[in-house]
Amino acid sequence: MTFATPQATTLLVLLLVNVQLGTSFTVILSDSGAPSTLVDGPQSGLPGSNNGARTDSKEQQAVYDIMRATGNDWATDIPNVCRGRWHGIECVPDKDNVFHVVSLSFGALSDDTAFPTCDPTQSTISPSITKLPHLRTLFFYRCFTNNPQPIPSFLAQLGSSLQTLVLRENGHIGPIPYEFGNLTRLTVLDLHKNNLNGSIPISLGQIPGLRSLDLSSNRLSGSIPNISFPSLSILDLNQNHLKGPLPIPLLTTNSLLKVDISRNRISGPIPDLNGPKNLILLDLSYNTLTGPLPDSLQNLKSLQTLILNGNPSMSATIPDNAFRGLDNLMILGLSNTNSEGPIPESLGRLTMLRVLRLDGNRLNGTIPPSFANLNGLSELRLDDNKLIGPIPFKRERVWEMGRKLRLHNNLGLCYDQKSGLGDDLDTLSSAGIGRCDTSKNVPASSIQHISTLNNGNMLISSTKSVASTHKINGALSRKILALTAIFLFINSCLL
């Protein structure tokens, strides 16, 4: 995560989407450029060396208090906190050349980031923060993990100035303060990975300019309130205990780029998504959503990642036109949704696909021949379905996917010898897939044992694979199948 300086005036979103599902965004946060009496932009000198410039004395004393509360007593030896310019503090002068504190950051993001660290056993957030009337950015990262404490409601007193509030992985307990609705200038609120409980305060709807809301990895419960943020770009509520329907006002915000409400207890259908034309990521996985897929998905022309895995109540046929027009789609996850029927041929026209997961369903029929056009595919999961027939891939594509090509536990997938695939492909042999012209679409994993009862009747038992248990080669397996047919024929004549 990278945070821009207060002088920046735009919100940038850097998408770090690789081939793994659920990859998070990296958000570059910045301020909104709200009206201020401070002089933004590059300064010609530091306080104390620029025509008598000085740091506001009350703010300097407040900084001393804040630093002591986080275990950074060394700061009290700095005669001018703005002149010291350590990483983690930023100051900007007003028109009278008096410097004011506009940003405070604590916690080691990486070895290269030199924000002051916190004493994890006794750090607290000092009430003296409220004595910084020009503060725009407040950032605490992993500061109170061994001294769990609620988020102090007095932070709401910074409502006239605060634009970015990040309290990330701090071990905070208790509810989100209802008073946070008074932070009306906020553009970024990030409370990721704490131990917060209770509901999402409806008072947050009083923050009109909010662009990024991250409440993920907490223990929040209740339904998502019907509030909206006209400028919201990032909505991340994943890994909570939220229930009820999906929030239509939030999901129809035009400016949305990322929506992640995965791993909750959300129920009901996916609503029409006609608003967010620029949406890039939509993750609603591991809830109890019901089908079918809405036709409005076709309106999300910018969508690159759609993840609906783990919604077993969806149980519907995948419409052939469900993803029409989603030419930018790179990741599609529909695992364990109880989907049935054939795989849509139209999926083969999504040539940007890199990851496709359809495993753990009741899909039948064949793999569409159009899948041969998915030249960029690096991961395909079709295991645990009811598929039959030839695999439409060339040798090179199978090699490139390797173990990320998962086809096992289907009814009868096979490969055509003319495709260039051979018996030496571990990916296919480990899935029990043989050649179509010899196995007659019967995979090795379903070769049956034959035993004779005392009365001469034949018993066919679907136990473990002969090929895997006794290590028979392909030729011997074919002989056993032929003998099986002969025995069954003789047995029928004797009856």
Side-chain angles (χ1 to χ4, degrees), residues 115-265:
F115 294 160
T117 57
C118 305
D119 184 336
T121 62
Q122 59 184 14
S123 291
T124 61
I125 299 178
S126 171
S128 292
I129 282 180
T130 61
K131 299 177 182 178
L132 302 176
H134 302 280
L135 193 66
R136 300 174 182 174
T137 298
L138 183 61
F139 175 84
F140 284 94
Y141 176 66
R142 294 183 178 178
C143 277
F144 318 110
T145 51
N146 295 337
N147 184 29
Q149 55 198 265
I151 298 175
S153 58
F154 60 69
L155 294 179
Q157 297 178 35
L158 297 170
S160 62
S161 64
L162 197 63
Q163 298 171 21
T164 297
L165 176 59
V166 177
L167 304 173
R168 194 173 178 90
E169 298 186 38
N170 284 313
H172 286 299
I173 57 176
I176 300 172
Y178 191 86
E179 293 86 352
F180 273 15
N182 295 328
L183 296 171
T184 55
R185 291 189 180 275
L186 271 188
T187 59
V188 174
L189 177 59
D190 186 343
L191 307 179
H192 167 76
K193 203 172 184 179
N194 288 287
N195 288 305
L196 300 172
N197 56 26
S199 59
I200 299 175
I202 196 171
S203 62
L204 296 183
Q206 302 171 20
I207 308 175
L210 198 64
R211 300 181 184 181
S212 180
L213 177 62
D214 189 342
L215 307 179
S216 60
S217 299
N218 282 287
R219 295 186 290 118
L220 300 173
S221 58
S223 58
I224 303 173
N226 285 321
I227 55 181
S228 61
F229 305 99
S231 303
L232 194 67
S233 295
I234 308 297
L235 175 65
D236 196 339
L237 305 177
N238 86 82
Q239 295 192 53
N240 279 286
H241 305 309
L242 299 168
K243 61 182 181 180
L246 287 169
I248 295 177
L250 278 176
L251 293 182
T252 53
T253 302
N254 292 332
S255 54
L256 280 172
L257 298 175
K258 172 195 175 182
V259 173
D260 188 347
I261 313 182
S262 62
R263 300 182 184 277
N264 280 282
R265 300 167 185 173

Side-chain angles (χ1 to χ4, degrees), residues 133-436:
H134 302 280
L135 193 66
R136 300 174 182 174
T137 298
L138 183 61
F139 175 84
F140 284 94
Y141 176 66
R142 294 183 178 178
C143 277
F144 318 110
T145 51
N146 295 337
N147 184 29
Q149 55 198 265
I151 298 175
S153 58
F154 60 69
L155 294 179
Q157 297 178 35
L158 297 170
S160 62
S161 64
L162 197 63
Q163 298 171 21
T164 297
L165 176 59
V166 177
L167 304 173
R168 194 173 178 90
E169 298 186 38
N170 284 313
H172 286 299
I173 57 176
I176 300 172
Y178 191 86
E179 293 86 352
F180 273 15
N182 295 328
L183 296 171
T184 55
R185 291 189 180 275
L186 271 188
T187 59
V188 174
L189 177 59
D190 186 343
L191 307 179
H192 167 76
K193 203 172 184 179
N194 288 287
N195 288 305
L196 300 172
N197 56 26
S199 59
I200 299 175
I202 196 171
S203 62
L204 296 183
Q206 302 171 20
I207 308 175
L210 198 64
R211 300 181 184 181
S212 180
L213 177 62
D214 189 342
L215 307 179
S216 60
S217 299
N218 282 287
R219 295 186 290 118
L220 300 173
S221 58
S223 58
I224 303 173
N226 285 321
I227 55 181
S228 61
F229 305 99
S231 303
L232 194 67
S233 295
I234 308 297
L235 175 65
D236 196 339
L237 305 177
N238 86 82
Q239 295 192 53
N240 279 286
H241 305 309
L242 299 168
K243 61 182 181 180
L246 287 169
I248 295 177
L250 278 176
L251 293 182
T252 53
T253 302
N254 292 332
S255 54
L256 280 172
L257 298 175
K258 172 195 175 182
V259 173
D260 188 347
I261 313 182
S262 62
R263 300 182 184 277
N264 280 282
R265 300 167 185 173
I266 303 299
S267 58
I270 301 174
D272 284 334
L273 303 171
N274 294 314
K277 305 295 185 182
N278 297 314
L279 190 66
I280 294 174
L281 182 147
L282 177 61
D283 189 348
L284 304 176
S285 59
Y286 301 100
N287 284 288
T288 56
L289 297 172
T290 55
L293 297 174
D295 292 339
S296 59
L297 281 176
Q298 303 172 30
N299 299 324
L300 306 179
K301 306 297 185 183
S302 298
L303 198 63
Q304 296 182 16
T305 300
L306 174 61
I307 309 174
L308 300 173
N309 301 331
N311 283 287
S313 299
M314 294 189 72
S315 60
T317 302
I318 305 173
D320 189 63
N321 63 349
F323 311 107
R324 178 185 297 167
L326 302 186
D327 297 332
N328 293 303
L329 198 62
M330 299 174 64
I331 297 175
L332 175 60
L334 291 171
S335 301
N336 300 299
T337 56
N338 263 328
S339 297
E340 57 186 5
I343 298 174
E345 178 80 21
S346 58
L347 285 178
R349 294 194 288 271
L350 302 178
T351 55
M352 294 293 291
L353 272 182
R354 299 293 181 267
V355 175
L356 178 58
R357 296 186 178 178
L358 300 173
D359 51 298
N361 288 300
R362 294 177 290 154
L363 299 170
N364 56 32
T366 62
I367 301 174
S370 61
F371 274 35
N373 300 323
L374 300 178
N375 295 323
L377 205 60
S378 60
E379 179 176 339
L380 176 63
R381 296 189 182 184
L382 298 176
D383 44 307
D384 298 311
N385 279 290
K386 301 178 179 180
L387 300 172
I388 61 173
I391 300 166
F393 300 112
K394 299 295 184 182
R395 184 185 187 90
E396 293 76 14
R397 178 57 40 209
V398 174
W399 273 114
E400 288 179 9
M401 284 190 279
R403 295 186 180 274
K404 292 185 178 180
L405 174 61
R406 301 188 182 181
L407 304 172
H408 60 271
N409 199 20
N410 277 285
L411 288 183
L413 289 175
C414 59
Y415 66 87
D416 189 338
Q417 185 66 18
K418 296 178 182 179
S419 66
L421 299 176
D423 295 324
D424 59 334
L425 286 173
D426 293 339
T427 302
L428 299 183
S429 60
S430 63
I433 296 171
R435 289 184 293 181
C436 297

Side-chain angles (χ1 to χ4, degrees), residues 425-487:
L425 286 173
D426 293 339
T427 302
L428 299 183
S429 60
S430 63
I433 296 171
R435 289 184 293 181
C436 297
D437 55 344
T438 57
S439 64
K440 303 302 180 185
N441 295 349
V442 179
S445 59
S446 66
I447 293 175
Q448 298 171 322
H449 291 228
I450 301 173
S451 61
T452 305
L453 298 178
N454 291 333
N455 60 5
N457 292 329
M458 306 304 298
L459 174 65
I460 300 179
S461 59
S462 298
T463 55
K464 291 183 180 180
S465 166
V466 173
S468 60
T469 305
H470 302 293
K471 299 182 180 179
I472 337 178
N473 60 28
L476 185 54
S477 297
R478 292 193 291 274
K479 290 180 180 179
I480 289 178
L481 286 173
L483 289 172
T484 301
I486 295 171
F487 288 152

